[in-house]
Amino acid sequence: MNEALSRSEGKVKALQTGSMQSVNSGLSSTRNAAEFATNAAEEAADRVHQEVAALRLQRAVKDDAARQKLVEVRTQQRRQQRHLSEATIQAELYKEQLEHLLAEKKPRPRQLQQLIEGVKGLEGRVRDLEVSGKANRSVHAVVAHSVRSLDGRLAKALMIMDRTKGHRNLEENEAEFVSESKKIKRMRKTAEEQESKFRVELDARVLTQQVRRTARTERHVAVLGARLGAEAQSRAEVSEKALFVLKESFS
């Protein structure tokens, strides 16, 4: 009788022990699932800030490169325009000086020689100019033609002076060229105004590009933030459910 009772008690204890082990195992699994869900939710929340910051940095680098490229291209184009403008003014100045010499009856061999050397140098500089864009190439062609025409007129004037033997009087005391005409002064003033205008327009263009690219960045950030935020919210809900199940398990 006592032996049978002892066996019965042993079986009860075994069942109780097994049941507790099963409960403990279930609680451990629930706890692990809750911890995993919580960590996943926290990582998803951190990811929102990290990826948004990375996107902003990436866009900032690209925006800066685009700004530098814009300034570089516009500045190069303006440099070409400036060189062409300077060549145009110099050619007009040489033209006026030549016409002044031709209008005088007395030969001015020294001044003529200075003009020839100046025009030759200008012709070489114009020929070596690097130009891009339809407008700049058109202006370059006009300037080059003007300089060649001026060179031809100088060669003709030299032949006439050579026939009159005026070239032998290079050491004579000659008057300097007349001061710049009003036309030349207007051309120089216009060139200065164009330079100032270019600076203002370039700053405006850079600002416009910056505003446009910043707006595009904000749109991309909003889309990325919304997508990652939705993922973080979903994981947060899973974490809340897992914690609720864990709490109920201890009730």
Side-chain angles (χ1 to χ4, degrees):
M1 183 72 175
N2 291 334
E3 183 179 354
L5 181 59
S6 178
R7 285 198 300 271
S8 296
E9 290 177 349
K11 290 181 180 180
V12 170
K13 289 181 178 179
L15 288 173
Q16 290 176 340
T17 301
S19 178
M20 289 300 297
Q21 289 177 345
S22 177
V23 169
N24 289 335
S25 177
L27 289 174
S28 178
S29 298
T30 302
R31 186 183 298 108
N32 290 338
E35 290 178 354
F36 178 81
T38 301
N39 291 336
E42 292 176 351
E43 291 176 358
D46 292 339
R47 184 186 171 198
V48 175
H49 300 291
Q50 293 172 358
E51 294 204 15
V52 165
L55 177 60
R56 287 189 182 280
L57 178 59
Q58 181 185 39
R59 297 297 306 181
V61 171
K62 290 184 177 181
D63 290 349
D64 186 62
R67 181 189 61 79
Q68 292 181 8
K69 182 65 175 179
L70 173 63
V71 172
E72 179 184 348
V73 171
R74 295 293 177 178
T75 301
Q76 181 182 12
Q77 292 175 344
R78 178 56 197 160
R79 187 184 302 114
Q80 295 175 3
Q81 293 171 352
R82 188 186 307 116
H83 290 162
L84 290 171
S85 177
E86 292 170 353
T88 301
I89 294 173
Q90 191 62 52
E92 180 63 26
L93 179 61
Y94 286 152
K95 176 184 175 183
E96 290 185 359
Q97 291 175 348
L98 174 59
E99 290 176 349
H100 175 72
L101 288 181
L102 296 177
E104 292 187 343
K105 295 182 179 180
K106 183 178 180 180
R108 300 288 185 182
R110 180 180 298 173
Q111 292 183 344
L112 182 61
Q113 189 62 36
Q114 290 175 353
L115 271 179
I116 292 173
E117 293 173 358
V119 170
K120 289 292 184 184
L122 178 60
E123 188 175 17
R125 292 194 299 274
V126 171
R127 182 175 57 250
D128 294 339
L129 282 179
E130 294 184 4
V131 293
S132 59
K134 183 177 179 179
N136 283 352
R137 286 195 293 268
S138 179
V139 174
H140 180 264
V142 173
V143 175
H145 175 75
S146 298
V147 175
R148 287 195 301 270
S149 177
L150 188 57
D151 184 59
R153 294 181 63 188
L154 281 168
K156 183 177 179 180
L158 182 62
M159 290 176 58
I160 294 174
M161 190 172 293
D162 185 59
R163 287 199 299 269
T164 61
K165 302 188 183 303
H167 63 286
R168 294 183 180 181
N169 301 320
L170 289 177
E171 299 302 325
E172 69 179 4
N173 185 19
E174 297 182 5
E176 296 295 329
F177 284 114
V178 295
S179 59
E180 292 183 356
S181 66
K182 292 182 178 180
K183 181 178 181 180
I184 296 295
K185 291 179 180 178
R186 285 197 302 270
M187 293 175 69
R188 293 193 187 281
K189 183 179 180 180
T190 299
E192 293 175 359
E193 293 173 348
Q194 289 176 343
E195 187 68 22
S196 299
K197 182 180 178 182
F198 163 73
R199 294 299 174 187
V200 173
E201 290 180 348
L202 178 60
D203 290 342
R205 187 177 291 272
V206 169
L207 180 59
T208 300
Q209 183 191 69
Q210 180 180 351
V211 170
R212 184 172 62 251
R213 295 184 71 90
T214 298
R216 182 166 56 184
T217 296
E218 292 305 317
R219 289 196 299 270
H220 290 176
V221 166
V223 171
L224 178 63
R227 178 172 61 81
L228 295 178
E231 294 178 5
Q233 180 63 29
S234 176
R235 296 197 178 200
E237 292 174 356
V238 172
S239 175
E240 290 178 359
K241 291 179 180 179
L243 291 174
F244 177 78
V245 172
L246 181 62
K247 182 179 178 180
E248 290 296 316
S249 300
F250 286 98
S251 299

